[in-house]
Amino acid sequence: MGFGGGALVASPLSRQLLSLYDDNYDPGNSASVAGGGALVALFLTLGIGYFVIMMFGVFNIRVPVDDWRPDGFDPATVQQKALVTTNHVSAASAIKTPQFWCLWVVLFCNVTTGIGILEQASPMIQDFFRGADGKSTVAVAAAAGFVGLLSIFNMAGRFGWSSTSDVIGRKPIYAMCLGVGIIAYFLLATVGHNSTVIFVLLAAVILSFYGGGFATVPAYLRDLFGTYQVGAIHGRLLTAWSAAGIAGPLIINGFLDREGKPGTLTAEAYRPALFTMVGVLAVGFVANLLIRPVATRFHERSEPTMEAAK
């Protein structure tokens, strides 16, 4: 939630700090540009603030005592779920399994399509509702508010969809996120320009799935590979995020660059990119369907100890 909601705080905070360090900078004017000295002061301020907050976390985190379990937790229930293993797979073995690479594709597709909305959110909503006179009916301030709203849904999705996955399972929640995401993207491309309410709702749903996919994937990895070295496996899987951070903007910008400059376009210019995202989600949907329990040959032959895991 903190990751998803960070933009909700960092963006307005950064604008206010820039206005504090540069009297000529207007935080309410999107065309206003701060000086280099103000930018340096901004990053120093944020860096110090982030350091203090991180150190607070570092000194307060503790390892639970041996054999600690949450109240009411019954380990026997884990064995009743097909995709939840009681065995363990090392990080080196995990990347040799088809399950890891299917999940890599799932995360890559989910993040690629989420970034597709997030990266162009402000100019996109203005372009979708641009009149014949070239002026948008959505003000710059309203577009900025839209970005903040998406951050809220990004944050809420990380809490809501991951919690729902504890009840219905990881595979079904991804099937829902990717499947409904396909419908949402298609509707955004075809009817999203008819109403700002429809546009905002569809974009919010897509961003909630983007956040939910991020928050659910660590539990999905634990279900498939056990707890032994799951942190290292998660780190390897996050290369999909890195790749999606390149692919998402390239796909969107590749289409938009041929049409003109975002902030001056119309809804029609976005449709090829949005339909491409439908295809990307379809690939992720199929990859999720292909995930099965990990074969026993990849399991650790003896119960890993805490020292071995380190």
Side-chain angles (χ1 to χ4, degrees):
M1 287 178 67
F3 185 92
L8 191 63
V9 176
S11 182
L13 175 62
S14 296
R15 290 196 298 271
Q16 293 304 316
L17 286 173
L18 285 174
S19 66
L20 177 66
Y21 297 135
D22 186 348
D23 294 335
N24 295 320
Y25 175 75
D26 181 5
N29 182 1
S30 62
S32 181
V33 179
L39 288 173
V40 172
L42 168 67
F43 283 117
L44 286 175
T45 304
L46 292 178
I48 293 170
Y50 293 157
F51 177 81
V52 171
I53 293 171
M54 289 178 187
M55 289 303 100
F56 178 81
V58 167
F59 288 111
N60 279 279
I61 290 176
R62 297 290 183 273
V63 177
V65 298
D66 293 339
D67 298 325
W68 177 86
R69 292 191 178 96
D71 292 338
F73 174 68
D74 181 5
T77 60
V78 173
Q79 301 176 2
Q80 299 173 7
K81 300 178 181 179
L83 274 181
V84 182
T85 185
T86 55
N87 296 290
H88 301 277
V89 180
S90 69
S93 297
I95 62 174
K96 300 175 184 177
T97 66
Q99 287 83 357
F100 176 89
W101 293 107
C102 282
L103 196 51
W104 192 97
V105 172
V106 168
L107 184 62
F108 171 82
C109 293
N110 184 67
V111 175
T112 297
T113 54
I115 289 177
I117 289 286
L118 201 56
E119 189 226 358
Q120 294 288 351
S122 181
M124 186 177 180
I125 190 171
Q126 295 177 75
D127 288 339
F128 258 64
F129 301 98
R130 192 172 302 284
D133 58 356
K135 296 181 179 180
S136 177
T137 58
V138 178
V140 173
F146 171 62
V147 175
L149 181 66
L150 292 185
S151 294
I152 293 175
F153 275 85
N154 185 357
M155 178 174 60
R158 294 168 191 268
F159 181 85
W161 297 129
S162 61
S163 297
T164 304
S165 76
D166 288 337
V167 179
I168 69 173
R170 322 304 174 191
K171 189 172 181 177
I173 206 70
Y174 269 102
M176 185 274 293
C177 288
L178 295 166
V180 177
I182 290 173
I183 298 172
Y185 252 110
F186 180 82
L187 292 175
L188 190 66
T190 55
V191 301
H193 64 286
N194 292 329
S195 166
T196 54
V197 173
I198 293 175
F199 179 92
V200 170
L201 286 176
L202 290 172
V205 168
I206 291 171
L207 259 294
S208 77
F209 293 154
Y210 166 74
F214 258 128
T216 304
V217 81
Y220 209 161
L221 289 172
R222 179 264 168 265
D223 290 353
L224 291 170
F225 303 109
T227 57
Y228 176 59
Q229 295 188 343
V230 69
I233 299 172
H234 187 215
R236 287 158 173 76
L237 189 76
L238 286 182
T239 57
W241 177 21
S242 302
I246 298 172
L250 282 179
I251 292 172
I252 294 293
N253 294 332
F255 283 105
L256 297 184
D257 286 347
R258 291 199 295 267
E259 301 291 337
K261 183 180 178 181
T264 62
L265 304 175
T266 62
E268 183 68 29
Y270 286 83
R271 288 196 180 112
L274 297 178
F275 284 133
T276 300
M277 292 302 179
V278 170
V280 172
L281 284 172
V283 172
F285 185 84
V286 173
N288 183 59
L289 292 180
L290 294 175
I291 294 177
R292 299 288 187 273
V294 176
T296 55
R297 68 179 184 273
F298 295 108
H299 294 164
E300 292 295 295
R301 295 183 179 178
S302 59
E303 185 72 14
T305 63
M306 183 62 71
E307 287 301 316
K310 293 178 181 178

